[in-house]
Amino acid sequence: MPLSETLTMSPFLTLSIAGFAATAISFGPARMGFGLFLSQFRDSFGIGTTMAGLISGAGFAGFLLGLIAAYAATAWRGPRLPVLIGLFLATTGMAIVAVAPNAGTLSVGVVMAMSSAGFAWSPFNNAVHQQVEPDMRSRSLSVVSTGTSLGAALAGAIALALMLGGASWRIAWAAFAAAALASLIGNLVAMRGVAGQPGRGRSNWRVLCVMPALPLYLSALSFGVTTTVFISFATDRVVRAGGLEGLPLQASPAVMFIIYGIAGLAALGTAAIKDRIGLPRLVRGLLVVSALSLALIAVLPTSWPGVAAAAGLQGIFVMMMSAVLAFWSERLFPELPSFSFTATLLAVALGSVIGPALAGVLSDGLSPAAMFLAAAALSGATAIAMRPRLIRETPLDCEDQPGPAR
């Protein structure tokens, strides 16, 4: 049977693979590449920690704006359009970084690339809800979110190979841009079944602003702050502390991202783990994992076991929590899959804007260790606040909420 026919007959497989590729690019090198190559950017363009925080914060602000634009585009023309816009931004932005002659041009490319993440993930909640059977949606969304793992691992592997070979970081960014173009073309074909199909649902924000959804939004906000602190500054923390023993100084970030990405593949089993232990235990456990990861980077930045554990734990946290946020929002608001996930990601984006900017100032004002310990404390406090009785995953009765607008 031809591959195209097989994919047409299996929406689960088609959308899972397409989403995996889109998130691999947009949440892999496009979103994380700045942190991965920050030490090289410092050498090439003289970027300080505060400036790095502002660039990263601007990129995550683009992510926030992209989320809003993606929801509007999904409501207008269906989920394929925003995904293609996101992958176009990733392709163009990373190509600009590859040829950037100065810090200003570099910033433009980084912001464009990071903005792509706002377009290329949330629409898959809509697409999956339209075409995948209910009992397979959590698994499909877990596969989509785990694309970040492969993207991070491959980005790290490419960076490591180039560094060990003495090649310029610009070659890596050119390769990232080429991969983004390939993903764009693949999604153009794979998502044709949901092109021009926006799906149904309300667009009244008051429907989503209900108390049972507050733990979801608070978890998302904390997630946005802490993960962007790690993504933006963890590799730089290790390099500035002296790097990992036995490696060239600039190779440490690449090794960290490889470990981060490989460990994150555990998220493919997120739905199964949730079914076994329940959502409350999974959410709280993941927040504890985040706190441990950040604390390890704070106190053991040159220790192989410490850094490897920190990168691996962070990879598990990011990928599994991403999957949790996707299917948690879809379960609470099954009639509003894209809208509810967009609201959740807006909370992530708000934290993503605040996190790097404040972290850069805190690092310069106190120390990098204090910055990471503060982020670890936030994850720990969020875990304590997530009381099991407050975490709900059964559908909310939107008919009882104010302002329904079909």
Side-chain angles (χ1 to χ4, degrees):
M1 182 180 294
L3 177 60
S4 59
E5 184 178 346
T6 302
L7 294 179
T8 300
M9 293 177 61
S10 175
F12 168 81
L13 183 60
T14 303
L15 292 176
S16 296
I17 293 174
F20 188 92
T23 55
I25 292 298
S26 59
F27 280 83
R31 186 171 184 255
M32 300 179 185
F34 180 67
L36 174 60
F37 287 89
L38 179 56
S39 58
Q40 287 98 312
F41 293 153
R42 285 184 185 277
D43 294 338
S44 298
F45 303 109
I47 296 173
T49 302
T50 298
M51 178 58 68
L54 292 175
I55 293 173
S56 185
F60 288 115
F63 169 54
L64 189 153
L65 295 175
L67 288 170
I68 299 172
Y71 177 73
T74 300
W76 175 47
R77 295 293 299 168
R80 184 170 75 161
L81 176 62
V83 171
L84 297 182
I85 292 173
L87 291 171
F88 173 79
L89 287 173
T91 303
T92 306
M94 291 190 289
I96 290 174
V97 171
V99 299
N102 52 54
T105 305
L106 173 77
S107 300
V108 171
V110 168
V111 171
M112 286 184 67
M114 294 179 70
S115 298
S116 69
F119 289 88
W121 185 17
S122 62
F124 281 99
N125 264 44
N126 184 293
V128 167
H129 191 82
Q130 286 188 48
Q131 294 205 321
V132 176
E133 292 297 320
D135 61 341
M136 296 297 290
R137 288 172 186 165
S138 292
R139 297 184 186 279
S140 180
L141 293 173
S142 293
V143 172
V144 170
S145 64
T146 309
T148 308
S149 292
L150 181 63
L154 289 179
I158 291 172
L160 181 61
L162 291 175
M163 290 172 194
L164 294 179
S168 169
W169 55 265
R170 295 181 185 275
I171 296 176
W173 283 84
F176 298 156
L181 179 60
S183 180
L184 189 158
I185 295 170
N187 272 268
L188 177 67
V189 176
M191 296 188 72
R192 61 184 180 274
V194 291
Q197 297 184 31
R200 297 179 180 179
R202 306 174 184 83
S203 58
N204 191 322
W205 287 100
R206 288 181 295 172
V207 174
L208 304 181
C209 297
V210 292
M211 286 303 296
L214 184 60
L216 169 65
Y217 301 143
L218 289 178
S219 297
L221 180 66
S222 175
F223 174 84
V225 172
T226 60
T227 58
T228 51
V229 169
F230 190 95
I231 290 168
S232 300
F233 299 111
T235 58
D236 191 54
R237 162 71 169 153
V238 173
V239 169
R240 298 182 80 182
L244 295 171
E245 185 178 356
L247 284 180
L249 185 62
Q250 300 297 347
S252 296
V255 170
M256 290 175 65
F257 270 79
I258 292 171
I259 296 171
Y260 173 102
I262 292 174
L265 291 174
L268 290 170
T270 304
I273 295 172
K274 189 269 297 179
D275 290 342
R276 187 173 185 85
I277 69 174
L279 185 63
R281 287 183 179 178
L282 178 57
V283 170
R284 300 185 84 187
L286 288 173
L287 289 165
V288 171
V289 166
S290 171
L292 288 173
S293 169
L294 292 159
L296 285 170
I297 283 292
V299 301
L300 297 172
T302 60
S303 162
W304 263 101
V307 171
L313 290 172
Q314 187 67 200
I316 292 170
F317 169 67
V318 170
M319 310 311 168
M320 294 190 76
M321 184 60 86
S322 296
V324 166
L325 295 177
F327 61 65
W328 189 1
S329 64
E330 196 271 341
R331 291 291 182 86
L332 286 179
F333 302 99
E335 297 181 8
L336 307 166
S338 183
F339 191 37
S340 62
F341 192 40
T342 297
T344 303
L345 289 182
L346 285 173
V348 174
L350 179 60
S352 299
V353 174
I354 295 171
L358 289 182
V361 173
L362 183 60
S363 178
D364 283 344
L366 294 176
S367 69
M371 172 183 68
F372 282 103
L373 288 174
L378 176 59
S379 286
T382 307
I384 294 171
M386 291 296 110
R387 302 288 184 182
R389 62 184 177 81
L390 299 178
I391 298 179
R392 171 176 174 171
E393 60 175 321
T394 54
L396 296 175
D397 184 5
C398 292
E399 298 298 331
D400 294 336
Q401 305 307 329
R406 291 189 181 280

